[in-house]
Amino acid sequence: MDPLDVLTNLEQVEPFYQAIFSADEQKVIGYEVLGRIKFNGEWISLGSFFQDESVPEEYRIEVDDDIVKKAIQEIKQLDEDILIFINRDPNLLMIDNGESFLNLLLNEKEKGLDLERVVIEITEHNFTGDIEQLKHLLTYYRTYGIKIAVDNIGKESSNLDRIGLLSPNILKIDLQPLKKATPSQTYLDVLYSISLLARKIGATLLYEDIEANFQLKHAWKNGGRYYQGFYLHHPSRTFIDRDFLKERLKDEFQHFIYYEKKKLEILYKKSEEFHTLIQQLINKYKKATKDYNEFITLLAEDLSHCSFRIYVCDENGFQQSGNIFKKENGWVFQPEYYMKNWSWRPYFLENIMRMRVNKKGFFSDLYSDIETGETIRTFSYPLNERHYLFIDLSYSYLFEQDGLL
């Protein structure tokens, strides 16, 4: 709608609220404040108004402040631990170094608002100014108990370095790209990286734009503590009972838990079976071979149905063999890999120690192979106290096996 229609009808502008639910208690923990205007009998979102840079900054700030003041008055009537999520354009915020907005909140504090209930949402990739100055402002806000959330992560060109620098309390991950039931592995890898970042900086993950059950499951499985989206609650002018979805969420989580436990049981069983197979093959070839190169060459023929690469490393990650690698025309020996070191790989030394202690082989998690680009798993097996066997399993094999993908 025309920005002028907004500015001349401010009395028709009202806050709407979208509930945010927690995984641990399955109840409403807060509301995101959204601007709406009643025009020709319909409630219309003000998102495009706030994003329209042709609208003078002072007008956008005026409308935003009006919505926030109304929302605070209403949310103050709720339970004292209900959070209020307030969107703020970081570019507008920095016009006066955040002073006017802070003064607004401090005025509300004098009227009874606990500032520890306030969460300011900013979209990092929209910010065009000095990131260090924004960092200092947000750090200053935190001294008042105000929490910081970085919004729309995973949607556009989010910069993990900048996000880490801002040290937000909450990372809001946008699940709109996850509308397909089979999203790209690259997208899932990016979300996994974000979940690792959240753990490192002590931030809580909030998954937004959840519009289907499988998205909720993804959020639950990938460290999401808070959830938001049309699947759970559409924005409304009024608040809802905190336990509005408690039973439904409990039931859905029970299904997720059951499915994941079954999947882990299958994975454990498959690992045991594969361990037994490798043990038998080692006993078969151990005395018949003079070195590891000959050993993995013989091993490859028995594992042709499942593996595409086999090699042996010592406890420090130095290869004690070349690679035996499967190409279209069969297995090829690659001597140039002898003495290459893989200790720099994530979890490599941790996995060596795990094999040494448990004296058993196991599957890695799913990951993308550097050379082939395929999604694979590696089966690692302790040959003795110092040498370890690594068997890379192809995507086609994993696809055929129940529970390995």
Side-chain angles (χ1 to χ4, degrees):
M1 64 184 298
D2 193 310
L4 192 59
D5 291 327
V6 177
L7 297 170
T8 56
N9 289 279
L10 277 179
E11 72 282 356
Q12 298 298 321
V13 172
E14 298 286 353
F16 269 54
Y17 305 103
Q18 187 172 33
I20 296 167
F21 298 84
S22 72
D24 43 3
E25 295 185 274
Q26 306 92 52
K27 69 179 185 179
V28 176
I29 57 92
Y31 290 92
E32 179 176 359
V33 178
L34 304 166
R36 298 284 189 271
I37 184 169
K38 197 164 192 179
F39 194 72
N40 293 334
E42 282 184 65
W43 287 107
I44 300 173
S45 170
L46 290 177
S48 59
F49 171 81
F50 290 121
Q51 292 164 13
D52 187 348
E53 294 186 2
S54 68
V55 179
E57 296 162 344
E58 62 269 23
Y59 292 147
R60 284 185 280 158
I61 292 171
E62 179 187 352
V63 175
D64 214 354
D65 286 353
D66 184 63
I67 293 168
V68 169
K69 288 174 187 176
K70 290 176 180 176
I72 288 173
Q73 295 313 308
E74 294 176 346
I75 287 183
K76 275 197 300 189
Q77 311 307 314
L78 301 178
D79 292 348
E80 292 182 356
D81 61 335
I82 290 280
L83 301 174
I84 172 172
F85 287 71
I86 301 170
N87 288 286
R88 217 63 184 180
D89 184 329
N91 295 303
L92 297 183
L93 201 60
M94 290 301 293
I95 288 175
D96 64 351
N97 290 317
E99 284 299 322
S100 60
F101 183 62
L102 180 59
N103 288 334
L104 183 157
L105 293 179
L106 291 176
N107 286 336
E108 295 299 334
K109 180 184 179 184
E110 291 178 4
K111 300 174 188 175
L113 174 67
D114 182 355
L115 293 188
E116 292 195 359
R117 297 175 65 181
V118 175
V119 182
I120 299 175
E121 290 188 29
I122 63 164
T123 304
E124 167 273 328
H125 57 250
N126 286 348
F127 183 59
T128 58
D130 185 337
I131 194 69
E132 286 286 346
Q133 288 187 12
L134 180 60
K135 173 194 172 185
H136 292 318
L137 173 63
L138 299 182
T139 301
Y140 180 52
Y141 277 3
R142 280 197 200 89
T143 64
Y144 289 94
I146 299 167
K147 298 174 180 63
I148 306 299
V150 174
D151 196 8
N152 285 338
I153 294 177
K155 190 172 185 178
E156 293 184 30
S157 55
S158 299
N159 185 315
L160 297 189
D161 288 341
R162 281 161 53 109
I163 292 168
L165 183 68
L166 298 177
S167 298
N169 305 93
I170 297 170
L171 296 180
K172 291 191 74 173
I173 298 181
D174 191 328
L175 284 184
Q176 272 204 355
L178 199 66
K179 283 189 174 179
K180 298 176 183 177
T182 53
S184 73
Q185 186 60 44
T186 301
Y187 172 72
L188 296 177
D189 290 342
V190 168
L191 292 191
Y192 178 67
S193 299
I194 293 168
S195 69
L196 291 179
L197 172 65
R199 187 179 175 206
K200 291 292 184 184
I201 66 176
T204 297
L205 287 180
L206 191 166
Y207 283 86
E208 59 181 335
D209 289 314
I210 296 174
E211 297 181 1
N213 173 272
F214 76 89
Q215 290 174 314
L216 178 63
K217 181 181 178 182
H218 177 88
W220 170 85
K221 185 180 176 182
N222 288 274
R225 184 182 183 186
Y226 300 145
Y227 314 122
Q228 177 184 12
F230 289 172
Y231 180 69
L232 305 170
H233 177 242
H234 283 260
S236 64
R237 182 67 191 90
T238 56
F239 303 113
I240 58 175
D241 186 281
R242 296 193 72 172
D243 292 330
F244 175 68
L245 288 184
K246 194 173 187 72
E247 292 308 313
R248 185 181 127 192
L249 287 175
K250 281 177 69 176
D251 288 343
E252 297 207 39
F253 290 164
Q254 286 290 353
H255 284 110
F256 299 162
I257 292 165
Y258 174 80
Y259 175 81
E260 287 303 315
K261 285 172 71 175
K262 289 296 290 183
K263 195 172 176 181
L264 289 170
E265 285 172 9
I266 291 170
L267 184 61
Y268 179 78
K269 183 180 177 184
K270 292 281 184 184
S271 181
E272 290 289 301
E273 290 172 356
F274 210 86
H275 176 90
T276 301
L277 170 65
I278 300 305
Q279 203 168 39
Q280 291 169 350
L281 292 175
I282 288 171
N283 291 334
K284 177 181 175 182
Y285 294 124
K286 188 167 54 177
K287 293 179 181 177
T289 55
K290 62 180 184 299
D291 59 33
Y292 284 132
N293 290 333
E294 186 180 351
F295 169 66
I296 62 173
T297 302
L298 289 172
L299 204 59
E301 295 305 321
D302 285 290
L303 298 176
S304 208
H305 67 291
C306 62
S307 177
F308 69 94
R309 185 193 292 118
I310 306 172
Y311 55 99
V312 174
C313 285
D314 68 13
E315 60 188 335
N316 295 321
F318 288 95
Q319 275 198 216
Q320 301 302 296
S321 70
N323 278 0
I324 187 80
F325 186 81
K326 189 178 182 183
K327 296 192 174 182
E328 288 184 9
N329 298 324
W331 290 95
V332 176
F333 185 72
Q334 299 172 317
E336 65 271 20
Y337 282 86
Y338 177 67
M339 289 305 289
K340 286 208 172 189
N341 184 268
W342 305 112
S343 61
W344 53 268
R345 283 181 169 173
Y347 310 115
F348 184 90
L349 294 177
E350 182 180 328
N351 289 339
I352 292 289
M353 190 58 63
R354 180 177 168 188
M355 284 187 282
R356 177 182 290 180
V357 172
N358 296 331
K359 303 189 186 316
K360 292 189 73 172
F362 60 89
F363 289 122
S364 72
D365 59 357
L366 291 167
Y367 67 98
S368 294
D369 183 64
I370 293 173
E371 289 185 33
T372 67
E374 276 195 338
T375 299
I376 69 166
R377 287 185 190 270
T378 296
F379 188 81
S380 308
Y381 185 96
L383 293 171
N384 52 49
E385 285 292 317
R386 296 188 301 114
H387 297 140
Y388 300 86
L389 177 68
F390 296 90
I391 303 167
D392 290 340
L393 305 174
S394 66
Y395 178 84
S396 57
Y397 171 75
L398 300 179
F399 183 77
E400 292 167 358
Q401 303 297 310
D402 183 30
L404 289 188
L405 271 184

